[in-house]
Amino acid sequence: MLLSIQNLTVRYGQETALSITEPLQVEEGDRIGVIGSNGAGKTTLIKSILGLTPYQGMIKTRLRPEEMAVHMQFNEYTDAMPVKYIMEAILGTRIAGNARLQELISYFEFEDCLRKKYTKLSGGQKQRFTIILVMMQNAELTFYDEVTSGLDFETRQKLVEKLTEWYRDKPASLVIVSHYYEELEMLADKLLILDKGKVIDYGRKEDLFRKYCGRAVIVTDNCERNRSFLEKYKKLASPAHLLAAACETQEQEEQVSRLLLQNNVNYKRSNSDIEMIYINARASRAGEEESK
Amino acid sequence: MRNRKRLITAQMLSFEFRNVIGNPYIHIFGVGMPVFMMILICRSVAAEMAESTLYASMATSVFLGMGAMIPMATVLMGYGISHAQELEKGIPQRMELFGIMPGVSMCNRILAEGIFMLLAFGIYFAAGYGVIGVEYPRISGLLIYIFCMVVFSAMMFCLAHGIASLIRRFGLTYCVTMILYFVFMILGGMMGISYDKMPGIMQLFARMLPVTYINRDFYTVWKGESYNFMPMIQSFLLLGAVTGILLFITVRRGERKLH
């Protein structure tokens, strides 16, 4: 076990920003995606683990905070010099004499940016700069807090592909906070779902999908025609413009697919849709609270 | 990362030095202004003076006093506003998250500030001897002057770090350090009103500042003449205590707390 959290509470004034009552563990090699709307407590959780914010409760780890690496949501550096010198100072090495660093710079296509000052870098270049520094830390546990926020689709996709490729077959444990579910599909194998400072659920993606969505889910546009086709099937909570049918068995899935194909209806089938997990986990928690 | 184990590294020192010279204020107020003020005052007084021996002592006295502007501008103002700006942007925390502990940053910064001040004093001395004809010191006088400047600079560093860490805002820190810079200059007698002509209350505060003794009395020390160091030492001890306590409080306050 790399890290465990027990009875964690973080308060900002009178407001409870985070309250984790059930024990939560991070195992070595875990890739945990943290999801939740704004104010859910995602960044607060990272800050607590890193010792950046006061909390009550217990966070147990054999790692010291400085042995964990983190890409914060906002990363700023001095603008008094080109980023090359910042990089060399932070890493305590010269770029010219460090093959691993050169490899990373080349991997993230950052060579042409080294002579620029930080404020002159584009959003994507800024993110890549911090990612290179974070990766060079070679930490056992690395946090990425909304690493692609504010980037355009293409840059975001390219960056996540690079991250996925880099960490493939590496033993590092990752905690990735993101609002983009497709990124977590690529990077995470576990999910921590937070809502209003509380843990809704935590577990492997597949297990959570099965728990909240069933075997598979078929999603179509939410229109009168499609609603009539899927009338007799169990519906899942979904965004207002979509209609999601839960399929508990392969036969049921084939039946729904056939029906939609016969009627020339576009649909998406998934057995790992994180958005559906998130929406239905929240809906389930809301239902539980209402019944109480 | 390799630099975790070493307090001073070439890369960190180079980084901090670039940080120091990247601040335009210190070139204006820490290098240009002391040289300009020293030359301006000496030239204007020289025009009214007939006796060349008196001119030399006056010029040397002005030179020694104005020298205190260098640590006040480069360290108190320069480092203060630069550190506040970094704190405002969260840069020290970002560095700490990369494993660069605040103590490491501070040590390299102190060294970088020291190197810059050495260069600034080099220019200042060159201007002093080349343009206004400063008198040569006794070795003891020179050594005491260097010692006083080093101690005064260290106190200015503590003060700047403390103010910036408490305020954590560029604009307000700039305002506070600028006010202190001018208050020190006024009370030190560098802005036209000598200590003897100050009202009583001003003299009371002026007596508490080392800069007063550096500006008023250092010519005597420079020439190796007999001097009662006690008031000057007391002023250094008072300022040292105030700035040391301020630094201690702010460093403790900014520590990353583990639970």
Side-chain angles (χ1 to χ4, degrees):
Chain A
M1 186 193 65
L2 203 57
L3 187 138
S4 79
I5 296 171
Q6 286 169 9
N7 292 320
L8 180 76
T9 306
V10 181
R11 287 193 182 89
Y12 295 136
Q14 295 296 312
E15 190 195 341
T16 301
L18 188 63
S19 172
I20 299 178
T21 49
E22 298 290 316
L24 199 149
Q25 292 187 344
V26 178
E27 305 291 342
E28 283 171 31
D30 273 353
R31 307 284 162 97
I32 301 165
V34 184
I35 51 175
S37 51
N38 291 332
K42 306 181 295 295
T43 302
T44 302
L45 174 65
I46 293 179
K47 285 186 170 177
S48 307
I49 296 171
L50 292 166
L52 297 175
T53 197
Y55 61 82
Q56 290 173 318
M58 181 91 79
I59 297 176
K60 281 200 319 201
T61 177
R62 61 182 166 77
L63 303 173
R64 282 180 286 133
E66 59 269 24
E67 287 174 331
M68 305 176 207
V70 58
H71 184 297
M72 299 297 279
Q73 214 168 329
F74 303 104
N75 303 280
E76 283 290 341
Y77 304 89
T78 179
D79 213 30
M81 66 197 85
V83 291
K84 172 183 188 283
Y85 300 107
I86 302 174
M87 189 177 268
E88 289 187 337
I90 288 172
L91 301 174
T93 183
R94 282 179 57 78
I95 295 169
N98 191 316
R100 189 174 133 77
L101 180 55
Q102 285 171 23
E103 184 195 347
L104 266 169
I105 290 169
S106 161
Y107 183 76
F108 283 101
E109 298 160 32
F110 199 73
E111 297 92 334
D112 296 339
C113 304
L114 289 169
R115 287 267 155 211
K116 291 182 186 171
K117 289 186 177 176
Y118 188 69
T119 50
K120 299 290 175 205
L121 299 178
S122 68
Q125 289 166 341
K126 283 178 179 170
Q127 301 296 62
R128 279 186 278 151
F129 176 66
T130 303
I131 288 172
I132 291 169
L133 294 171
V134 165
M135 284 180 168
M136 277 298 288
Q137 280 184 274
N138 210 15
E140 280 183 70
L141 179 58
T142 303
F143 299 89
Y144 285 103
D145 189 0
E146 298 192 28
V147 69
T148 57
S149 283
L151 303 181
D152 63 78
F153 176 74
E154 201 182 332
T155 313
R156 190 153 55 83
Q157 203 172 31
K158 209 172 158 188
L159 191 60
V160 173
E161 277 168 15
K162 291 264 184 198
L163 279 171
T164 311
E165 187 57 37
W166 183 264
Y167 281 111
R168 184 167 293 142
D169 303 326
K170 287 196 170 68
S173 304
L174 302 178
V175 174
I176 311 125
V177 172
S178 181
H179 289 291
Y180 299 107
Y181 303 119
E182 64 273 25
E183 289 176 15
L184 297 178
E185 307 251 358
M186 292 167 81
L187 283 162
D189 50 29
K190 279 185 175 177
L191 289 178
L192 172 63
I193 307 169
L194 296 173
D195 189 44
K196 294 173 189 158
K198 291 193 170 131
V199 175
I200 292 186
D201 216 330
Y202 174 55
R204 299 196 66 78
K205 260 189 319 191
E206 303 77 37
D207 297 340
L208 292 179
F209 187 86
R210 186 156 279 281
K211 181 176 173 183
Y212 293 108
C213 306
R215 184 181 176 275
V217 61
I218 287 179
V219 180
T220 69
D221 288 335
N222 189 0
C223 61
E224 188 59 47
R225 187 166 168 261
N226 292 351
R227 276 200 297 275
S228 68
F229 291 141
L230 298 175
E231 200 173 18
K232 63 176 183 173
Y233 299 99
K234 181 189 167 190
K235 309 292 182 310
L236 293 171
S238 61
H241 67 290
L242 296 174
L243 197 60
C247 303
E248 293 299 340
T249 61
Q250 190 175 340
E251 292 72 39
Q252 197 180 22
E253 195 184 330
E254 284 169 356
Q255 206 176 37
V256 177
S257 301
R258 207 174 308 120
L259 176 69
L260 295 174
L261 282 170
Q262 279 168 358
N263 290 282
N264 197 26
V265 173
N266 291 327
Y267 69 93
K268 193 181 95 176
R269 181 263 181 198
S270 173
N271 62 0
S272 63
D273 190 317
I274 292 177
E275 187 178 17
M276 293 309 296
I277 297 174
Y278 175 63
I279 292 171
N280 284 279
R282 274 184 70 178
S284 166
R285 173 57 62 94
E288 278 172 25
E289 281 173 3
E290 259 178 40
S291 64
K292 277 180 195 169
Chain B
M1 285 184 289
R2 283 192 297 169
N3 58 344
R4 297 259 172 79
K5 291 174 188 142
R6 290 166 59 191
L7 199 59
I8 311 282
T9 62
Q11 289 81 18
M12 269 307 280
L13 186 59
S14 155
F15 168 78
E16 290 296 354
F17 188 69
R18 284 170 199 278
N19 243 343
V20 172
I21 59 172
N23 179 354
Y25 296 96
I26 62 164
H27 301 286
I28 300 164
F29 293 103
V31 184
M33 198 160 155
V35 171
F36 175 74
M37 292 276 284
M38 168 188 69
I39 295 171
L40 186 76
I41 293 170
C42 289
R43 286 270 187 261
S44 61
V45 176
E48 297 165 10
M49 269 184 161
E51 224 177 309
S52 63
T53 49
L54 274 180
Y55 167 77
S57 62
M58 181 280 304
T60 306
S61 189
V62 169
F63 168 82
L64 295 171
M66 289 294 161
M69 283 173 76
I70 296 173
M72 285 197 292
T74 57
V75 184
L76 176 62
M77 266 186 69
Y79 173 65
I81 58 176
S82 154
H83 188 53
Q85 196 170 32
E86 287 180 0
L87 284 167
E88 199 171 7
K89 288 181 174 177
I91 295 172
Q93 187 181 78
R94 181 60 271 185
M95 297 296 273
E96 198 178 343
L97 290 171
F98 281 125
I100 312 284
M101 304 316 275
V104 172
S105 293
M106 199 187 276
C107 283
N108 285 279
R109 184 63 183 237
I110 289 169
L111 209 54
E113 295 280 354
I115 294 167
F116 182 82
M117 273 208 296
L118 200 65
L119 297 172
F121 268 108
I123 295 168
Y124 187 70
F125 269 68
Y129 280 96
V131 181
I132 65 161
V134 173
E135 288 180 49
Y136 285 94
R138 296 285 292 268
I139 290 293
S140 63
L142 179 66
L143 292 176
I144 294 169
Y145 187 74
I146 292 169
F147 178 75
C148 282
M149 283 299 153
V150 170
V151 174
F152 186 60
S153 303
M155 288 170 185
M156 290 298 101
F157 188 87
C158 297
L159 190 59
H161 191 86
I163 292 168
S165 303
L166 281 177
I167 298 173
R168 303 176 82 89
R169 291 281 175 274
F170 169 78
L172 194 55
T173 305
Y174 181 60
C175 178
V176 171
T177 54
M178 185 68 122
I179 288 169
L180 281 175
Y181 174 76
F182 282 111
V183 165
F184 286 173
M185 279 177 64
I186 292 164
L187 291 175
M190 296 177 201
M191 297 293 277
I193 313 167
S194 66
Y195 174 81
D196 304 327
K197 290 175 187 163
M198 283 178 196
I201 187 77
M202 271 180 80
Q203 283 187 343
L204 178 72
F205 287 110
R207 279 202 297 275
M208 293 179 193
L209 296 173
V211 72
T212 304
Y213 304 96
I214 294 169
N215 186 50
R216 190 188 64 180
D217 302 340
F218 228 95
Y219 179 75
T220 316
V221 181
W222 187 254
K223 297 301 287 180
E225 293 165 13
S226 166
Y227 179 69
N228 175 18
F229 280 98
M230 200 44 73
M232 188 194 281
I233 291 170
Q234 282 171 344
S235 72
F236 268 107
L237 288 175
L238 179 67
L239 188 63
V242 171
T243 56
I245 290 167
L246 187 63
L247 181 73
F248 179 76
I249 292 169
T250 50
V251 166
R252 285 295 302 268
R253 206 166 149 243
E255 272 174 7
R256 207 164 154 189
K257 292 175 186 70
L258 304 178
H259 302 262

